[in-house]
Amino acid sequence: MRYSKLLIPTLKENPSEAEAISHKLMVRAGFVRQLAAGLYIYLPLGWRVIEKINRIIRQEMNTIGAQELSMPILHPAEIWQETGRWNEIGDEMFRLKDRGGRDMCLGMTHEEIVTWLASKEIRSYRELPQIWYQIQTKLRDEARPKSGVLRTREFIMKDSYSFDIDDDGLERSYRLHEGAYRNIFSRCGLKFYMVESDPGMMGGGMSHEFMAPSPAGEDEIALCDNCGYGANLEIAGSIPGIPQFPSCPQDPSERFEEVETPEKRTIEEVTSYLNLNPELFIKSIMVIGDDGPVLALVRGDQTLHEKKLKKIIGNFRSAHRDEVKELLGVEAGFIGPMGHKIRKVADNSLKQGVYVSGANKEGYHIKGVKPERDFKAEYSDIHIAKEWEGCPSCGKPLKVEKAIEVGNIFKLGTKYSIPLKANYLDEKGEEIPIVMGSYGIGPARIAASAIEQNHDENGIIWPASISPFDVHILPLNTKDPKTIEVAERLYGNLKTEGIEVLIDDRDERAGIKFKDADLIGIPYQIVIGEKNLKEGMVEVKDRRSRNVKKFKIEDLSAIISLCRT
RNA sequence: CGGGGCGUAGCGCAGCCCGGUAGCGCGCCUGCUUUGGGAGCAGGAUGCCGGAGGUUCAAAUCCUCUCGCCCCGACCA
């Protein structure tokens, strides 16, 4: 296509609202424009990238036997009420009424709708398994849209749903998706990990996320290079290192030592005051659950993992100052696990060792506290995994990386098929709920991740598979007839070969064309300048390596083969 | 929803404390020169200073309210 006819509004300066690299570059290079918070317009170049990604997704989904269909974005409330999610989901769902006053919503995802369809159309085990997918707009009233197209209120998602007769079938569909997803992300040129994740509001059983490592990512993942363990920090386990504990006095009367710690409340204050490492402290956090107060105990160097705790004690909130004082008679900075009957949940790492904890006495801490002996607690993993802690499966050190969630796969089981009565008849004529899976990919997140992982100071470096064009022709001086003639001939010939070509036919200076070409990031640039033309040559520049090769003008096949690699 | 920041020309910003009728760079338009890494000279156009109300002789500037956008946190299929 001709640059002069395309809408490619490049910007010399970074947009003020952008923070993430992919966001800055997508705006600067003329791929997207923001309409409002979390709402983006895809300009021609941006849309070409999304379409390239979608094509790869379609190919890989079709390969595993998935069938494409399309479901509405506007949904009647009743279906969401039947699964209970109408009430479970809060402000994140866009809700509206139609003219007849009926409650409606805009689809955040399509489990309800696809299950409704299955309940109507699937009769027999002979019709299973099925995989249905769509590439469809989703709407979520995000509390905080951010990072350009990474978190938006309206976005396109490839979502697929599997229907099987039993768990073994679901396992097969799940693995088929895993394979397809690995192919898709690899073909899109992404570095990624598949990690264990929290099923969250999807419910059901196992789930994994596909994570593209990037500093712009909102998620953190724990990874083990040794055994391949990988998990979102939302659920990642870890084996904390064991600190050197002080020896415990034999004489029971000398066990405890109350130490005065005036005005020292936080772990930092107390550790520096007593000159002890934070690992030798018990951090006590008072929360109020549905069944009353709970004291959560983690080691001083650890952070309480609220989601892990929630799985044990149910919903809770942190206790107010006066509640702490009422329950333990002392303010929060000096509370500890001893001498009261409040339910205690402690991190596993506290099972061994001797610690300092709050003394439940204003201005005092207590040394020599030995869990199990000195107080009883329920033990569980309730700390957030950290880099260098041990891998829960092999013990080797973990690393923690930020990552963008580009895809996920969930085993739903019968969570949706039961309430929506999506059943099939088995060989015996018995009615059995269909076993389902749900699988998502965000094409815009793939595009943003590709930029996050492939750019330099001059701009984007697209992986060839998802680049808006294959080749960018730069006729430097459009007033030189020879330049134009060669450029046009090359343009025509490459197009005939099925190569997607952008030709910068603008009457602009060479510098501007070079800068825009590097910013836009098409993997190969064919530079047509008068000096080389005199020798019958053109240059082909590799955007990533910046290597330049000269070719004879007639040597089209060599140019083509270079650009196709 | 809590905390912070910012709304002034198409874009990036200054001016605001200390009120006096709006400025810089880039871009845009015209002409000439230039033409291998965001050209030079000359001329030109462009603003409801986010919105509403108030104070004042006078408001981009001070006060109140409101809307929008960004960042941190909470939340997040």
Side-chain angles (χ1 to χ4, degrees), chain A residues 464-465 470 523-524 542 549 558-565:
Chain A
S465 57
D470 300 322
Y524 292 100
D542 181 315
K549 277 188 188 160
I559 296 173
I560 290 168
S561 65
L562 180 72
C563 296
R564 277 196 174 143
T565 50

Side-chain angles (χ1 to χ4, degrees), chain A residues 65-97:
Chain A
Q67 307 157 65
E68 185 167 6
L69 45 69
S70 179
M71 293 178 275
I73 300 168
L74 183 62
H75 302 172
E78 292 86 67
I79 304 184
W80 286 81
Q81 284 158 353
E82 280 176 53
T83 61
R85 291 210 290 184
W86 179 263
N87 292 320
E88 276 168 37
I89 297 170
D91 292 337
E92 208 175 323
M93 179 146 52
F94 281 107
R95 294 162 209 259
L96 64 158
K97 285 184 195 296

Side-chain angles (χ1 to χ4, degrees), chain A residues 200-216:
Chain A
M201 89 169 185
M202 298 293 294
M206 179 190 294
S207 70
H208 288 87
E209 289 168 338
F210 290 80
M211 293 291 201
S214 155

Side-chain angles (χ1 to χ4, degrees), chain A residues 473-478 483-484 487 503-506 513 526 528:
Chain A
I473 297 178
L474 305 180
L476 294 186
N477 182 2
T478 47
T483 298
I484 291 298
I503 180 167
D504 193 345
D505 57 338
R506 294 176 301 169
K513 294 189 178 190
I526 301 181
I528 299 169

Side-chain angles (χ1 to χ4, degrees), chain A residues 135-175:
Chain A
I135 296 177
Q136 179 64 287
T137 299
K138 311 285 183 215
L139 290 119
R140 292 179 195 173
D141 196 357
E142 288 288 349
R144 185 147 95 85
K146 57 185 282 199
S147 306
V149 302
L150 282 177
R151 187 161 214 87
T152 54
R153 295 192 290 178
E154 175 178 322
F155 58 98
I156 293 169
M157 178 164 131
K158 186 290 300 177
D159 49 321
S160 51
Y161 306 90
S162 65
F163 305 89
D164 283 281
I165 58 167
D166 57 18
D167 287 345
D168 288 346
L170 172 57
E171 175 67 18
R172 275 191 295 278
S173 296
Y174 196 78
R175 294 303 157 194

